[in-house]
Amino acid sequence: MGYGVSLHVSGDYALFSRPEMKAERVSYDVITPSAARGVLEAILWRPAIRWVVDRITVLNRIEFESVRRNEVGSKIPPRNVSAAMAGSKVDLHQYINEDRQQRASLVLRNVAYIIDAHFVIIPEKAGESDTPEKFYNMFLRRARQGQCFHNPYLGCREFAAKFRFVEAQGERPISYYANDEDYDLSWMLWDIEYEQKEFKNKTLYSFNPRFFHARMVNGIINVPSEVSL
Amino acid sequence: MSEVLKNRYEFVLYFDVENGNPNGDPDAGNMPRIDPQTGYGLVSDVSIKRKVRNYVQFSKEGQDGFDIYVSEGAVLNNKQKEAYEANDLKTKDNKDDKLTAQAYMCRRFFDVRAFGAVMDTGDFKCGQVRGPIQLCFSKSEDVILQQEVTITRMASTTEKENASENRTMGRKYLVPYGLYRLEGFVSAKFAQKTGFTQKDLDLFFESLKLMFDQDRSASRGKMSARKLYVFKHESELGNAPAAALFDLIEAKLINPSEPSRSFKHYELTVDKGSVPEGVQLIEML
């Protein structure tokens, strides 16, 4: 602990879908802790570490725009894939002309955030040489040089994120909401807890969404380290 | 088989449209997409992906491993099926093994290998493939003019219409000229996961260059790929921030007081001197 990192993340568009509005996607007003974690993991992630987002600073004014696109309505049924692999004659194609949905998305425009986060080592997955110093320095190297595992994105992959490392003593941009004492963002997704259990020789996956009450004070959202209802 | 990717790439594609509609907006009755705040034109990421898929489908018809999963209309896929049966792609009988199924999909379908796909049922909740290629929205270099053209038709659809002597009026929308810029990323790490090879990447870049030539239609007008710049990093994770690389390439109107009407009206500057160490700039077009 004690190795905090700060990352300046920005982009022209962003879409952090609200779970209650997913067909016609509507973005949250700001980046969720879970999307912020995804941005950090795009730069560095190992099974032995877990990123914890501490604070999110909202730098730009919150603005929305609507985009409507043609989308495919269904997903690939794995059963058909298995059947094709076994040699039976199933058609594995998706015909977009017959399976088309036009959906609007309410996306954020012109966003910029500073993500303050740290990582914790998961003892049971850490090897001998997995020290916090090692991962911290790896992250510094990558973030300063603009290296990444894959290019981070703001909610959806078509909205790529620019990122740069914010040095500890470095200058931090002023938030548009710096004079806003209390901006209530109401309930937001905090993160999803994934679990994997073995049951009767089968692997069962479960995931629980967790929510928190987000408040922006002078442009800064303090993310709780644990949430419980 | 050629090598799986070992380098990170970024690319910038300039394409233009003359008297056509590059990408209609279903929200605005199929007018060309526009950013309402700035007036710049947009082309969605999925529109470009569709063209890439179509190009690969035309150019690799019936070839093993280049099938296209998200197809437009019917495909003559019997050939491909035969190819598959001949290759005896039976894996060990572990039907629940989603990784086997994923590997099969990646091997067989170019678009799954390149862009990823979502495979999902109740049995396993994370059958998602994230492909190495990530495209953004293309944006025009200047404010575009959305022009509405009214056209008439000499025939009629119904008897009733025919009797009334009223001929149908139709509408077409077009952009007189627009130069658009597409930015994209290729992650070597994801390529290793989906088995996306150097040969696949070459095909992808070829499709960027030639896809508009296979996509002629009444609404598109004249669309052409004009310039394709590729940044090749020496390492897997990259040697420089993507944003810094994209900033090296700029298109400027030579005479801003006149409206742009052709590619000649633009001057492309590429700051070759500032390309960072470990990054190679390749001009593919």
Side-chain angles (χ1 to χ4, degrees):
Chain A
M1 252 306 289
Y3 288 113
V5 299
S6 305
L7 197 70
H8 181 286
V9 181
S10 60
D12 293 344
Y13 298 95
L15 173 50
F16 310 108
S17 305
R18 288 175 181 267
E20 70 271 29
M21 295 185 250
K22 285 197 100 156
E24 300 258 302
R25 286 180 288 268
V26 175
S27 177
Y28 277 117
D29 291 10
V30 299
I31 189 169
T32 59
S34 111
R37 175 177 61 84
V39 169
L40 296 163
E41 285 174 354
I43 299 168
L44 171 77
W45 181 79
R46 288 282 188 281
I49 63 171
R50 183 167 61 85
W51 284 103
V52 179
V53 177
D54 303 314
R55 276 184 309 162
I56 292 165
T57 312
V58 182
L59 299 175
N60 291 359
R61 206 169 82 103
I62 297 166
E63 288 173 8
F64 288 94
E65 183 181 314
S66 167
V67 179
R68 187 176 289 273
R69 287 174 283 182
N70 291 330
E71 298 177 11
V72 173
S74 53
K75 298 173 193 161
I76 305 175
R79 250 178 327 172
N80 290 7
V81 179
S82 322
M85 286 160 72
S88 65
K89 293 197 174 191
V90 286
D91 186 0
L92 262 189
H93 298 85
Q94 247 178 345
Y95 299 113
I96 49 161
N97 299 351
E98 292 153 30
D99 187 16
R100 175 179 286 169
Q101 300 179 347
Q102 285 197 339
R103 292 183 182 178
S105 310
L106 198 62
V107 301
L108 289 167
R109 276 303 314 271
N110 196 11
V111 297
Y113 305 104
I114 294 180
I115 300 167
D116 292 302
H118 68 274
F119 59 83
V120 288
I121 302 274
I122 303 168
E124 54 266 28
K125 291 200 176 159
E128 286 286 300
S129 62
D130 288 345
T131 61
E133 289 78 11
K134 175 178 115 175
F135 292 127
Y136 177 68
N137 286 314
M138 276 170 88
F139 185 85
L140 285 198
R141 250 198 327 268
R142 288 189 187 181
R144 280 182 184 144
Q145 292 179 16
Q147 293 188 319
C148 54
F149 189 88
H150 63 91
N151 201 75
Y153 49 86
L154 297 163
C156 293
R157 282 195 80 190
E158 59 269 36
F159 306 129
K162 295 176 185 168
F163 66 93
R164 63 183 171 82
F165 189 73
V166 180
E167 303 291 343
Q169 314 305 335
E171 189 142 335
R172 292 171 84 98
I174 308 290
S175 162
Y176 176 86
Y177 296 96
N179 301 325
D180 226 319
E181 288 286 316
D182 186 16
Y183 190 115
D184 193 336
L185 293 158
S186 128
W187 289 96
M188 276 178 71
L189 178 76
W190 178 69
D191 211 326
I192 295 175
E193 289 187 335
Y194 298 92
E195 269 183 71
Q196 194 177 327
K197 277 206 284 274
E198 298 297 324
F199 180 73
K200 289 185 184 169
N201 300 334
K202 257 184 113 173
T203 314
L204 296 177
Y205 299 97
S206 68
F207 51 95
N208 280 315
R210 302 263 180 184
F211 293 84
F212 77 113
H213 193 147
R215 276 212 151 77
M216 187 160 69
V217 180
N218 299 347
I220 297 169
I221 301 164
N222 278 304
V223 181
S225 53
E226 269 189 22
V227 294
S228 58
L229 286 178
Chain B
M1 277 311 283
S2 76
E3 283 291 289
V4 169
L5 286 196
K6 291 271 191 297
N7 314 77
R8 189 182 109 186
Y9 292 84
E10 268 89 42
F11 55 88
V12 178
L13 171 76
Y14 280 101
F15 61 92
D16 63 358
V17 57
E18 246 175 82
N19 293 327
N21 182 356
N23 183 207
D25 185 350
D27 262 343
N30 213 27
M31 298 252 291
R33 283 185 196 278
I34 200 162
D35 174 342
Q37 275 184 311
T38 58
Y40 285 36
L42 294 174
V43 172
S44 69
D45 59 313
V46 282
S47 152
I48 300 289
K49 281 182 184 175
R50 171 82 270 145
K51 290 180 184 26
V52 170
R53 284 185 165 111
N54 288 352
Y55 179 82
V56 172
Q57 204 173 350
F58 298 143
S59 66
K60 296 278 179 184
E61 178 107 43
Q63 277 194 39
D64 195 13
F66 290 99
D67 203 347
I68 292 293
Y69 183 74
V70 187
S71 306
E72 203 174 40
V75 194
L76 298 164
N77 52 19
N78 301 339
K79 252 193 205 164
Q80 285 143 340
K81 277 206 188 110
E82 282 161 30
Y84 271 83
E85 283 158 12
N87 272 343
D88 196 28
L89 266 176
K90 278 180 205 161
T91 49
K92 283 198 186 99
D93 194 27
N94 47 356
K95 280 196 177 123
D96 289 340
D97 191 350
K98 64 170 193 230
L99 292 174
T100 318
Q102 270 188 15
Y104 171 86
M105 293 298 286
C106 289
R107 212 173 28 240
R108 177 169 168 184
F109 292 106
F110 176 84
D111 55 341
V112 175
R113 211 160 53 226
F115 302 132
V118 178
M119 292 200 276
D120 232 343
T121 59
D123 291 346
F124 39 78
K125 290 275 187 288
C126 49
Q128 278 197 30
V129 189
R130 282 201 285 180
I133 298 175
Q134 184 180 346
L135 301 180
C136 304
F137 273 38
S138 315
K139 215 162 62 176
S140 69
E141 286 296 323
D142 285 285
V143 175
I144 58 162
L145 173 72
Q146 298 168 299
Q147 219 177 344
E148 191 177 321
V149 180
T150 307
I151 48 176
T152 56
R153 188 174 62 164
M154 302 316 288
S156 46
T157 319
T158 58
E159 284 288 343
K160 211 169 130 197
E161 195 187 338
N162 200 18
S164 70
E165 293 283 312
N166 264 340
R167 291 285 172 256
T168 318
M169 302 281 243
R171 280 205 182 93
K172 282 180 85 157
Y173 297 106
L174 50 89
V175 177
Y177 184 81
L179 179 67
Y180 288 77
R181 169 180 167 135
L182 165 75
E183 294 175 355
F185 312 86
V186 185
S187 152
K189 287 290 188 186
F190 280 181
Q192 289 155 19
K193 281 187 181 169
T194 65
F196 186 82
T197 62
Q198 195 66 47
K199 218 166 73 180
D200 288 330
L201 186 75
D202 294 342
L203 174 64
F204 172 71
F205 286 141
E206 180 192 321
S207 69
L208 286 187
K209 284 188 269 190
L210 299 173
M211 61 188 176
F212 296 111
D213 297 316
Q214 305 301 329
D215 188 57
R216 303 281 177 224
S217 83
S219 63
R220 293 273 176 257
K222 194 171 105 189
M223 291 183 77
S224 351
R226 290 294 189 171
K227 282 280 173 199
L228 175 59
Y229 298 102
V230 177
F231 293 102
K232 181 177 178 180
H233 296 254
E234 268 173 22
S235 62
E236 285 180 356
L237 293 168
N239 299 47
L245 297 178
F246 288 139
D247 288 345
L248 299 177
I249 298 175
E250 261 195 338
K252 271 213 159 54
L253 259 183
I254 296 167
N255 183 359
S257 58
E258 297 255 323
S260 60
R261 284 295 177 265
S262 95
F263 188 59
K264 290 193 191 80
H265 293 178
Y266 281 94
E267 186 187 21
L268 258 60
T269 49
V270 185
D271 190 352
K272 285 184 181 145
S274 306
V275 176
E277 192 95 357
V279 180
Q280 196 190 344
L281 171 61
I282 309 160
E283 219 173 306
M284 291 215 174
L285 184 65

